[in-house]
């Protein structure tokens, strides 16, 4: 195949064309190979002034076996990854690309993930992945925006190295947790706009409930944490009062600094699952009350409860 290793048949053609007086350039054109490939082949395997195809094929086989025996067991040879490593990088990159990460960025990320502790330079990535510097630069910018890689100067200070450090997974976890909480909050606002009894409201309710639980589980919050305990205390105060309260009134009633009450209210707004099955409502400037979470009960369940209440009303 053009561009691959010379075959036994290629060598027979070379021998025949040399005997016919063809030059290296013409033989290269006939085989679809560079002239330098033909000249090196003939120089390496010419014996006593003659190029013999069978002898050249046998010598090439010996060289290939020696290279295979001398190949290091490590994942990188002469700065290049082995076939096994290249296969892993491509396979893992395919998995990451299925999650939404761009294909080239996935390859760069996995290449860095499998590199030594010192990381890789942009030139290293270009060489290992056999891609353009622009592709590497674009992928690095994407990964930096996601805080998945960091830059470090190399030992000589002339080039930057890209590293996946030990904190990368914590940063990714925190970013996901924050995003999930924001989705839950946005879904809650959508329910208030569309109404819990609408199709959109029902969908948003299920979505908000899912991401609120996911955010709570990923954040690792427990009721022992001060801000969460304060949030539940604020909620209990609103339930006990049975009417809307201002921030100042809440803080004074609880004998807290205003900042402490504000932090508790902010925690409920950012992480609605804290108050489940209740929900905080803002009804005016720094004025709060509570309601049941509209996504906790389906429209059918609410209707059934209302019917039972009406049936039991004297």
């Amino acid at each position: 195949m053009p561009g691959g290793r010379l075959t036994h048949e290629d060598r027979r053609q070379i021998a025949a064309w040399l005997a016919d007086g063809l030059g290296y350039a013409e033989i290269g054109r006939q085989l679809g190979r560079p002239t330098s490939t033909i000249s090196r082949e003939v120089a390496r395997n010419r014996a006593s002034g003659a190029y013999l195809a069978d002898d050249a094929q046998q010598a090439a086989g010996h060289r290939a076996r020696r290279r295979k025996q001398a190949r290091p067991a490590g994942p990188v040879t002469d700065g290049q990854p082995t076939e096994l490593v290249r296969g892993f990088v491509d396979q893992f990159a395919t998995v990451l690309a299925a999650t939404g990460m761009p294909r080239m960025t996935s390859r760069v990320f996995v290449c860095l993930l499998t590199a030594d502790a010192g990381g890789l330079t942009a030139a290293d990535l270009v060489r290992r992945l056999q891609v353009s510097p622009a592709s590497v630069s674009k992928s690095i910018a994407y990964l930096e925006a996601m805080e998945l890689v960091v830059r470090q100067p190399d030992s000589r200070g002339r080039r930057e190295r890209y590293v996946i450090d030990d904190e990368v997974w914590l940063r990714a976890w925190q970013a996901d947790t924050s995003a999930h909480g924001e989705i839950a909050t946005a879904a809650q606002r959508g329910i208030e706009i569309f109404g819990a009894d609408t199709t959109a409201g029902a969908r948003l309710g299920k979505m908000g409930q899912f991401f609120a639980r996911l955010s709570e589980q990923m954040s690792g919050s427990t009721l022992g944490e001060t801000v969460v305990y304060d949030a539940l205390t604020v909620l209990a105060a609103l339930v006990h009062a049975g009417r809307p309260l201002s921030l100042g009134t809440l803080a004074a009633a609880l004998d807290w600094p205003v900042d402490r009450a504000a932090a508790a209210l902010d925690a409920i707004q950012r992480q609605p699952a804290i108050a489940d099955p209740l929900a905080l409502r803002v009804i005016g400037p720094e004025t709060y009350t509570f309601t049941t979470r509209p996504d906790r009960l389906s429209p059918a369940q609410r209707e059934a409860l209302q019917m039972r209440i009406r049936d039991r009303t004297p």
Side-chain angles (χ1 to χ4, degrees), residues 58-311:
Q58 187 176 19
H62 286 318
R63 286 193 298 271
R65 285 191 291 274
R66 285 199 301 271
R67 283 196 297 269
K68 186 175 181 180
Q69 292 170 355
R71 182 176 295 166
V76 177
T77 304
D78 296 330
Q80 293 287 350
T82 63
E83 289 296 330
L84 183 63
V85 171
R86 275 193 290 266
F88 173 79
V89 168
D90 287 341
Q91 183 181 27
F92 200 171
T94 300
V95 173
L96 291 178
T99 68
M101 183 179 287
R103 170 71 178 174
M104 178 53 63
T105 304
S106 299
R107 294 184 68 205
V108 170
F109 180 71
V110 179
C111 199
L112 290 169
L113 188 66
T114 55
D116 291 335
L120 299 170
T121 65
D124 292 334
L125 289 165
V126 168
R127 184 169 58 254
R128 291 193 180 194
L129 296 173
Q130 297 181 356
V131 296
S132 68
S135 296
V136 169
S137 177
K138 184 177 180 180
S139 296
I140 289 294
Y142 183 100
L143 293 170
E144 284 186 312
M146 297 178 66
E147 297 187 52
L148 293 177
V149 300
V150 295
R151 296 176 184 241
Q152 293 181 353
D154 68 4
S155 57
R156 290 171 289 185
R158 290 185 297 178
R159 293 183 179 180
E160 289 182 321
R161 305 186 72 84
Y162 302 103
V163 178
I164 295 179
D165 63 10
D166 294 337
E167 300 297 320
V168 64
W169 308 121
L170 177 60
R171 290 196 302 272
W173 181 279
Q174 290 172 336
D176 280 347
T177 302
S178 176
H180 293 154
E182 290 173 2
I183 292 172
T185 301
Q188 186 70 30
R189 288 198 299 270
I191 295 169
E192 295 172 358
I193 293 171
F194 291 99
D197 294 333
T198 65
T199 300
R203 289 177 183 152
L204 288 167
K206 291 180 180 179
M207 181 182 181
Q209 184 177 0
F210 173 81
F211 280 101
R213 287 180 177 176
L214 191 61
S215 175
E216 184 177 30
Q217 292 170 2
M218 291 181 67
S219 69
S221 295
T222 66
L223 298 183
E225 294 181 352
T226 302
V227 68
V228 178
Y229 184 85
D230 283 355
L232 293 175
T233 302
V234 163
L235 196 64
L238 289 170
V239 172
H240 183 76
R243 63 181 180 84
L245 297 176
S246 67
L247 174 60
T249 301
L250 264 173
L254 296 172
D255 195 22
W256 288 356
V258 172
D259 289 348
R260 180 176 175 182
L265 289 163
D266 181 63
I268 298 174
Q269 290 177 306
R270 287 187 293 104
Q271 197 171 328
I274 293 174
D276 194 10
L278 302 178
L280 186 70
R281 286 189 60 195
V282 182
I283 62 172
E286 295 189 340
T287 302
Y288 306 87
T289 186
F290 73 95
T291 184
T292 56
R293 281 183 57 156
D295 60 338
R296 177 52 62 199
L297 296 173
S298 69
Q301 289 170 330
R302 286 194 295 274
E303 183 178 355
L305 287 167
Q306 289 297 330
M307 289 178 62
R308 288 182 177 274
I309 291 171
R310 285 197 300 269
D311 291 342

